[in-house]
Amino acid sequence: MNGTESNSLMSAALMFSWVEYSVFCSMLLLSLLVGVYFGYFKKQDTVAEYLLGGKKMSVFPVAMSLTFSHVSGVSLIGVPAEVYSYGTQYFVMCISFVIMYFIVVNSFLPVFFNLQLNSLYEYLELRFSKGTRTLASLLFALSLVLFIPVVIYIPALAFNQVTGVSIYVITPIVCVICLIYTSFGGLKAVVWTDTLQSAFTISSTLFILVLGFLKIGSISEVFRINGEGHRLELFNMDPSPFARSTFWTISLGSVFTWLSHVGVHPGTSQRFIAVSTVKEARAVLLWTCVGYVWVKAITTLLGMLIYAHYHDCDPIATKMVQKSGQVMPFYVMQVAKDYPGLTGLFISGALSAALSTMSAGLNTVAGTIYEDFVQFILRGKQQSEAMQAFTLKVVVLVIGVICSLLVPIVERLGGLLQVAVSLHGVNSGALVGVFCLGVFFPRANAKGAIVGVLMSVMVMTTIVFGGEYFIANGLLKFPGKVTSVDGCPADFLASLPFNASARVQTYVGVGSPVVADASVPLIFQMSYWYYITLGTLVVLLVGLPVSYLTEPVDMKHLEPALFAPFVRQFLPQKQKFPVNPPAEEYKLVATNDHSKEVTTPESDNKDS
């Protein structure tokens, strides 16, 4: 660390005064108290209470929880950094929410809500086989174990930026608090802490937005500076799947990303059936999508504000921050320095978002592991409801510890948003694909599902980790849009031990370039937004032919409830009785009341 970095950390630590620490600790304490309340005073002693909140939750807290469980530090810190570096093309994602909403409401939600399953992957056993369910559950658990460390690392990096406290110190503290209220409080604690933490997140971002606009002068000035900096971009219509971010890669590619988050995600399904009716479940999804749009608008504006503030003195080029993920907290420190407590409020909001995502993920993966693995191991052994709930809590603790231990690995990876989406793409496409096979294609069978999933995972593991390998070795780069240091103080630039001007970005065209060494195969240059889309397509393109080439599905025995409503009309109508029933099936049936007899139609005809 050079002298500039040391001074930056020292001033940050001094700025984060007792007022900031008080606000920060208040959020952690309130979250902990919610877990204690639901863990000890409103005990969750049954699986239904622990995982589903007794299925009597109201729409508002569930929608808030569902919104903010997906609004992690990736959104609050990673998205502004993305907009700062690459422009506003990211905001096109809002189109995908509309598409995703109609797909889920008309296909997945009617199926999963009516089945009322404790584990979403039980559907795959009903539709295909036990092996399909086990494979999908394992992939989901692995995907969350890969994703949660990213969620934890981002706010820990922000906290490090404003306090100087090592991420290796703050990470275990945050994880322990999250583990306590998640493991002891169950879904109710997760939902209500999400709602509580969202207050920190909303208030902090709104304060920063207002202060930012006041500092720049007006909203129109922010848009003017971003326009001159080539940041205003929504309709980059480049059809190439190898362009990093375009209208098509984000609006279409992220549809499958959000299907994995919402349509076929156990945590979302868990919340849908935590309300009483399918009408309320639709309302939860609608308000959740509204919340997603609001969050994307806020975080995009934050990124534009940061660029307007630093457009002529790039903190990355001058090494005032080491990584793009530190730009947002660095900006907050400068804007909020005259308002005691505001920096603490923002860091609390960022950490709250991470806690809500982590707690929701832990609660979900614990339910999945318990229902699909622990129950299978303990088959034949009777467990009391209290013992089952205790087992779930142990699973939460174990998974939480594993995730926290993986955080140091995340530190070695690249851009925050790209890393998060890329790691999510390893298994998520396979999971979206297998549920699409089940819900939309009656002729798909278990062999097709398993082969399709395995092929998808192998293909996407090769592409994702191959791409990360080339990025880590500097052979594949994604330089951002034009930046400048012309507005930095001359004495500050002169004090730097390097030439900051040589570090600025100069690209002023549409989109953002992909700079690849000649040794990098083209497939590894594919936009990371298409990872889950490609993973889904591999399942379908492999699973359907395998299904047709192996044992055919007997359409007469398919249960209509396992298919999307519009697919059911293509299934043969089930008959309650055979057309020509054998006579021996129609006999007198004795009841417990010997004064009465229940007769079948056949016997009634004979008597008459």
Side-chain angles (χ1 to χ4, degrees):
M1 179 180 292
N2 58 41
T4 303
E5 296 168 41
S6 301
N7 293 335
S8 176
L9 286 178
M10 288 177 63
S11 62
L14 291 173
M15 180 187 294
F16 213 74
S17 64
W18 67 269
V19 179
E20 319 296 334
Y21 278 110
S22 297
V23 174
F24 178 77
C25 292
S26 296
M27 183 276 296
L28 293 180
L29 181 60
L30 287 172
S31 299
L32 188 61
L33 290 176
V34 171
V36 171
Y37 175 73
F38 283 106
Y40 291 97
F41 298 102
K42 294 284 187 179
K43 291 188 175 182
Q44 317 292 294
D45 287 334
T46 69
V47 173
E49 281 285 340
Y50 189 86
L51 292 179
L52 305 174
K55 300 186 179 182
K56 296 179 181 178
M57 301 292 292
S58 57
V59 170
F60 174 73
V62 175
M64 289 288 283
S65 173
L66 194 53
T67 298
F68 285 93
S69 65
H70 290 297
V71 181
S72 62
V74 175
S75 295
L76 200 56
I77 296 175
V79 172
E82 169 78 10
V83 173
Y84 174 80
S85 298
Y86 299 102
T88 59
Q89 186 66 67
Y90 177 85
F91 189 66
V92 172
M93 180 179 288
C94 293
I95 296 174
S96 69
F97 297 145
V98 178
I99 301 172
M100 177 270 294
Y101 173 81
F102 284 103
I103 292 175
V104 174
V105 162
N106 292 294
S107 56
F108 296 110
L109 180 58
V111 174
F112 300 148
F113 186 88
N114 291 332
L115 291 175
Q116 293 284 305
L117 304 173
N118 283 345
S119 169
L120 179 64
Y121 295 109
E122 188 179 345
Y123 167 83
L124 297 177
E125 181 176 2
L126 296 174
R127 175 67 179 86
F128 295 119
S129 66
K130 175 67 178 176
T132 311
R133 172 183 178 177
T134 303
L135 177 61
S137 297
L138 180 62
L139 290 178
F140 172 72
L142 288 175
S143 68
L144 270 188
V145 169
L146 287 175
F147 182 68
I148 289 177
V150 181
V151 170
I152 303 169
Y153 170 73
I154 292 174
L157 185 66
F159 191 81
N160 166 258
Q161 177 70 14
V162 300
T163 66
V165 177
S166 170
I167 62 171
Y168 303 114
V169 174
I170 188 60
T171 297
I173 296 174
V174 171
C175 287
V176 166
I177 291 174
C178 184
L179 286 172
I180 290 174
Y181 77 74
T182 304
S183 60
F184 289 102
L187 182 66
K188 285 186 177 179
V190 170
V191 167
W192 284 108
T193 49
D194 286 353
T195 305
L196 169 70
Q197 291 159 1
S198 67
F200 282 86
T201 306
I202 293 170
S203 56
S204 64
T205 51
L206 289 179
F207 273 125
I208 296 302
L209 272 176
V210 171
L211 290 177
F213 282 124
L214 290 175
K215 197 170 185 67
I216 297 298
S218 66
I219 296 178
S220 60
E221 182 67 7
V222 171
F223 275 82
R224 184 191 68 78
I225 295 174
N226 277 267
E228 292 178 354
H230 303 272
R231 287 326 193 259
L232 298 182
E233 185 176 290
L234 289 177
F235 299 103
N236 173 10
M237 308 306 285
D238 184 353
S240 172
F242 304 104
R244 182 182 182 274
S245 298
T246 68
F247 178 90
W248 303 112
T249 60
I250 296 179
S251 64
L252 297 182
S254 61
V255 169
F256 291 86
T257 301
W258 285 102
L259 281 178
S260 70
H261 279 305
V262 178
V264 297
H265 192 282
T268 307
S269 175
Q270 186 182 25
R271 282 163 174 74
F272 285 155
I273 64 176
V275 296
S276 301
T277 65
V278 69
K279 182 180 179 180
E280 290 180 331
R282 291 195 196 101
V284 167
L285 180 58
L286 176 62
W287 287 112
T288 298
C289 289
V290 172
Y292 287 158
V293 172
W294 183 85
V295 169
K296 298 307 174 187
I298 293 297
T299 51
T300 300
L301 282 175
L302 283 172
M304 294 173 63
L305 268 176
I306 296 173
Y307 179 74
H309 188 83
Y310 294 121
H311 69 282
D312 58 355
C313 188
D314 180 22
I316 300 176
T318 57
K319 301 297 281 186
M320 286 187 283
V321 299
Q322 299 302 304
K323 298 182 178 182
S324 62
Q326 294 176 314
V327 170
M328 181 66 193
F330 183 73
Y331 172 74
V332 172
M333 288 165 55
Q334 294 200 330
V335 170
K337 61 185 178 182
D338 297 327
Y339 300 87
L342 187 52
T343 302
L345 184 64
F346 173 78
I347 298 301
S348 298
L351 200 59
S352 294
L355 283 172
S356 64
T357 302
M358 182 181 179
S359 62
L362 290 175
N363 184 265
T364 301
V365 77
T368 301
I369 290 175
Y370 179 80
E371 292 289 340
D372 299 337
F373 295 102
V374 176
Q375 288 279 56
F376 178 75
I377 295 171
L378 298 177
R379 63 189 184 281
K381 297 181 181 180
Q382 293 295 326
Q383 273 193 314
S384 65
E385 286 281 2
M387 180 56 69
Q388 293 178 32
F390 175 77
T391 305
L392 278 167
K393 295 171 184 178
V394 172
V395 173
V396 168
L397 290 172
V398 172
I399 297 298
V401 170
I402 293 173
C403 291
S404 61
L405 293 176
L406 291 175
V407 170
I409 298 176
V410 178
E411 189 178 17
R412 302 178 182 274
L413 302 178
L416 297 179
L417 183 66
Q418 184 163 344
V419 167
V421 176
S422 297
L423 291 179
H424 192 62
V426 175
N427 296 331
S428 296
L431 295 175
V432 174
V434 74
F435 278 104
C436 286
L437 273 182
V439 170
F440 299 127
F441 299 96
R443 294 191 180 276
N445 63 20
K447 291 181 179 179
I450 291 175
V451 174
V453 167
L454 291 175
M455 184 61 69
S456 175
V457 172
M458 286 191 290
V459 169
M460 297 316 301
T461 299
T462 302
I463 293 175
V464 172
F465 286 102
E468 290 299 321
Y469 169 80
F470 288 117
I471 291 172
N473 286 276
L475 301 175
L476 184 59
K477 299 178 181 179
F478 305 94
K481 290 180 178 293
V482 60
T483 57
S484 172
V485 294
D486 293 342
C488 294
D491 56 342
F492 170 69
L493 292 177
S495 68
L496 297 176
F498 54 85
N499 182 7
S501 298
R503 295 172 174 265
V504 300
Q505 303 296 334
T506 58
Y507 183 74
V508 295
V510 176
S512 54
V514 177
V515 180
D517 186 83
S519 63
V520 181
L522 189 61
I523 189 64
F524 297 112
Q525 301 174 38
M526 183 179 66
S527 172
Y528 65 96
W529 288 111
Y530 279 141
Y531 283 167
I532 296 179
T533 306
L534 179 60
T536 302
L537 290 176
V538 170
V539 176
L540 299 179
L541 293 175
V542 173
L544 287 173
V546 171
S547 296
Y548 276 89
L549 293 173
T550 55
E551 55 190 90
V553 175
D554 187 349
M555 301 284 284
K556 295 179 181 178
H557 291 91
L558 293 177
E559 178 56 54
L562 299 176
F563 297 92
F566 70 88
V567 175
R568 295 170 190 170
Q569 60 184 314
F570 300 106
L571 300 176
Q573 294 294 319
K574 282 195 167 188
Q575 297 181 351
K576 295 183 179 180
F577 300 102
V579 178
N580 296 309
E584 59 268 24
E585 291 188 12
Y586 285 73
K587 299 179 180 179
L588 293 175
V589 179
T591 66
N592 293 330
D593 185 354
H594 296 292
S595 64
K596 298 178 181 179
E597 287 182 329
V598 179
T599 61
T600 63
E602 180 76 16
S603 60
D604 287 342
N605 291 337
K606 288 181 180 179
D607 291 339
S608 61

